[in-house]
Amino acid sequence: MAMVRKLETHGIRHPAVLAAMGKVERHRFVDSALANQAYEDTSLPIGLGQTISKPSVVARMIELLCHDRPGKLGRVLEIGTGCGYQAAVLSVVATEVYSMERLRGLHERARENLRLLRLANLHLLMGDGMLGFAKGAPYAAIIAAAGGNDIPQAWLEQLAVGGRLVAPTVTATGQQNLVVVDKTARGLVRTELEAVHFVPLKSGIG
Ligand code: SAH
């Protein structure tokens, strides 16, 4: 609850997002040696050179996906399952979540972390998320937890009309920013937001 209050001071307002952040216990997703830091606003190592994102960044990105929509988000595609934390938060605010991970070790760790939570609407997939997951398309929302030099074409194609994508992406400034793409009936609308620091989006599986 202290973490949720801190998120409010970071400007997170959406009630469903705050409720989901309060519901999913972050300490279950990190190594027991790091559990005492689980509710601080910091990223933490999850093995294989990867990190679990800061709670304020997870909440910020999910709030961007929910923006002013009433009710639950529809089908969501997440690229970069990692330890499965953000996937669990998404599964609370969305009707269906497909989460992809390219590293088998993390895919399996996420499965283990999530087993006891029994989130029936969350589907973990092992594969290269740069290709998206066409079988689940179209998606109301797509969220990337790893940053690339541009937004893969497959994501834009698999986004529903009326849908929104949020991804850390290198911009003209040379740094990584959160980029929002809205797919409207008249085309794609791209908005660049604040600078962020995500692990790199990589192609292929490992
Ligand atoms: N949302 C995660 C954050 C994990 S860090 C969490 O809550 O823990 C980002 C993850 O993206 C890493 O596990 C990395 O292996 C994965 N990743 C990078 N490129 C990817 C790709 N092309 N497809 C799927 N996963 C990818």
Side-chain angles (χ1 to χ4, degrees):
M1 285 305 116
M3 184 189 87
V4 171
R5 278 198 297 276
K6 200 165 333 143
L7 293 173
E8 290 177 296
T9 68
H10 273 99
I12 306 298
R13 294 274 171 271
H14 200 293
V17 176
L18 290 168
M21 295 296 294
K23 187 168 176 192
V24 179
E25 297 177 313
R26 194 167 180 259
H27 72 266
R28 294 183 183 278
F29 294 84
V30 296
D31 196 88
S32 55
L34 298 171
N36 61 336
Q37 295 177 59
Y39 297 100
E40 286 170 24
D41 195 31
T42 173
S43 55
L44 293 169
I46 54 172
L48 302 175
Q50 309 302 318
T51 54
I52 179 175
S53 310
K54 287 204 249 198
S56 60
V57 172
V58 171
R60 165 77 168 140
M61 291 176 79
I62 297 177
E63 186 170 69
L64 283 167
L65 292 182
C66 295
H67 54 129
D68 45 13
R69 281 165 197 269
K72 280 204 168 194
L73 269 180
R75 273 202 308 279
V76 178
L77 175 66
E78 178 192 44
I79 294 91
T81 312
C83 65
Y85 172 71
Q86 179 169 273
V89 179
L90 286 167
S91 84
V92 180
V93 300
T95 58
E96 215 73 46
V97 179
Y98 295 88
S99 179
M100 301 188 75
E101 174 56 55
R102 63 179 290 277
L103 297 176
R104 187 163 295 280
L106 285 174
H107 168 74
E108 281 164 9
R109 192 166 308 168
R111 191 171 291 292
E112 187 57 33
N113 289 342
L114 290 160
R115 201 164 43 90
L116 291 173
L117 301 183
R118 297 180 189 281
L119 302 167
N121 65 339
L122 171 55
H123 314 285
L124 299 184
L125 306 163
M126 169 69 203
D128 181 359
M130 287 180 80
L131 307 174
F133 180 62
K135 283 192 190 140
Y139 297 100
I142 298 180
I143 179 168
N149 288 328
D150 38 46
I151 293 170
Q153 192 57 33
W155 300 357
L156 301 173
E157 283 164 10
Q158 292 172 23
L159 192 61
V161 174
R164 176 174 269 198
L165 174 159
V166 181
T169 308
V170 176
T171 59
T173 61
Q175 62 177 2
Q176 205 182 54
N177 291 79
L178 277 188
V179 173
V180 170
V181 179
D182 287 303
K183 191 170 193 171
T184 73
R186 276 176 289 165
L188 300 171
V189 180
R190 177 182 160 118
T191 313
E192 293 178 4
L193 302 170
E194 68 270 23
V196 283
H197 299 280
F198 278 82
V199 295
L201 181 69
K202 294 184 178 168
S203 61
I205 57 171

